[in-house]
Amino acid sequence: MDNKLYNLVTKEEKCYGCGNCVVACPVNAYNDPAVAGGKGPEQLDKVIMCVENGVIKILNMGLCKGCGTCIEECPDGAIGLEVNYTT
Ligand code: SF4
Ligand code: SF4
């Protein structure tokens, strides 16, 4: 269980799997050269999220730095950060 001040949250019903957030995330790009090259992730244990079956899927929430870049790049408000009141 992650003990962060925020949680990365997704709204799968709004996501149409464009992958903008996956490629824009600086952690994903730093950790996986495929993402840095503008492609889908290949090292799924090192990226925060990927598109699976056409929708965004969180894989490693613990790697998220809360920078908000993914939110800026999502055209449909399908990914965001929420305050974790239980921390
Ligand atoms: S908030 Fe920043 S570090 Fe976290 S998933 Fe989004 S782009 Fe990546
Ligand atoms: S969360 Fe937004 S940016 Fe990410 S794949 Fe879904 S629609 Fe695209």
Side-chain angles (χ1 to χ4, degrees), residues 14-20 51 54-56:
K14 297 188 77 176
C15 174
Y16 55 87
C18 68
N20 282 4
V51 173
V55 294
I56 193 67

Side-chain angles (χ1 to χ4, degrees), residues 15-30:
C15 174
Y16 55 87
C18 68
N20 282 4
C21 58
V22 178
V23 175
C25 172
V27 174
N28 289 351
Y30 183 81

Side-chain angles (χ1 to χ4, degrees), residues 8 25-27 48-49 64-70:
L8 188 64
C25 172
V27 174
I48 297 169
M49 69 290 214
C64 177
K65 305 300 183 190
C67 69
T69 303
C70 56

